[in-house]
Amino acid sequence: AQLQRLTLKAEADVAARTRALAPELASLPAAARLPLTDMALTALRALSRAQVETFRDNLRALIEADASISLFEYMLERMVVSRLASQYDRPRRVIVQYYDLKPLLPAATTLLSTLAYYGQPEEDQAARAFQSGAARLNTTRRLLPRESCGLAAVDQALTILNTASPAIKKPSWMPASRASPRMAARRRPKANSCALSPIRWIAPSRPSRRMHE
């Protein structure tokens, strides 16, 4: 379905090149995927605005093709769309609303809880990963219930966190609970929709077209 989409909607040789590269990309270590993506994004500077719009549409269609969105795909779209927006779209001014971390703790808790669940298969392991991150925030907040987490919840949390001052945005609290590349690529259960919007914390961009889960 994904290659068929490229055959119909992309330029003539895109599907053929994608098919040829697929075996090598499939064997690529998970930890190398985002760095490789970052390197490849430089080539997008050569695209015209019309090509960029087609690229964005195809990227979204490929991500949604199996009706399941992984954390890796979520981060990937944020990364790509943010980079394209900075190149072709008028920069959106973010109004700083927070100069102190305390009012941001609920949003940070949501983000850390979701990453902990994605990164750790067992509840007790997720709780330990969360506490490791929460300790960096100097807070006693606890891991949220699994049903309160997910990509839609993360998307809302990131929107709030993106209005923090640059000093607050320094992600010194992120590494301890960050999902591993392998876990980031794991699939979520099938869902009607997972939030897909292009922040600075994982990358900022325009709001998602789908925000329910």
Side-chain angles (χ1 to χ4, degrees):
Q2 291 173 314
L3 286 174
Q4 184 178 15
R5 161 79 191 197
L6 292 179
T7 301
L8 294 174
K9 300 294 184 179
E11 294 185 6
D13 60 344
V14 171
R17 290 189 178 187
T18 302
R19 187 179 288 106
L21 288 171
E24 293 184 48
L25 294 176
S27 63
L28 192 71
R33 292 173 184 171
L34 284 179
L36 179 61
T37 300
D38 191 50
M39 293 172 60
L41 286 176
T42 303
L44 299 182
R45 295 175 182 173
L47 299 181
S48 66
R49 180 171 290 274
Q51 288 174 317
V52 165
E53 289 304 317
T54 299
F55 183 85
R56 283 174 175 164
D57 291 343
N58 284 332
L59 175 63
R60 177 172 290 271
L62 294 177
I63 289 174
E64 296 177 344
D66 60 358
S68 176
I69 300 170
S70 70
L71 181 59
F72 173 78
E73 290 171 330
Y74 174 83
M75 292 189 294
L76 179 67
E77 195 198 32
R78 280 187 172 276
M79 183 178 179
V80 172
V81 175
S82 176
R83 181 73 65 87
L84 292 175
S86 68
Q87 181 176 335
Y88 292 99
D89 298 336
R90 184 177 179 179
R92 295 180 58 193
R93 185 184 173 204
V94 176
I95 299 175
V96 174
Q97 299 183 30
Y98 299 97
Y99 294 88
D100 183 74
L101 184 59
K102 188 174 181 179
L104 292 169
L105 287 177
T109 299
T110 297
L111 179 58
L112 288 177
S113 294
T114 303
L115 291 176
Y117 283 125
Y118 269 104
Q120 303 296 334
E122 302 297 334
E123 196 86 15
D124 60 333
Q125 294 174 337
R128 286 196 296 270
F130 173 86
Q131 290 303 324
S132 180
R136 294 173 178 240
L137 295 174
N138 195 27
T139 179
T140 58
R141 298 181 74 92
R142 295 184 178 277
L143 180 72
L144 295 176
R146 190 179 294 271
E147 58 270 19
S148 299
C149 302
L151 297 185
V154 164
D155 206 79
Q156 293 170 0
L158 293 179
T159 299
I160 295 170
L161 291 170
N162 196 43
T163 62
S165 68
I168 297 297
K169 284 183 179 180
K170 291 180 181 178
S172 61
W173 48 278
M174 288 291 288
S177 61
R178 186 169 51 197
S180 68
R182 179 184 300 177
M183 296 304 295
R186 283 180 52 182
R187 293 285 175 181
R188 287 172 51 85
K190 299 292 181 178
N192 292 332
S193 171
C194 296
L196 248 193
S197 72
I199 125 182
R200 187 185 159 203
W201 306 73
I202 293 178
S205 190
R206 59 191 178 191
S208 172
R209 282 178 273 179
R210 301 196 307 172
M211 277 295 300
H212 50 281
E213 197 171 22

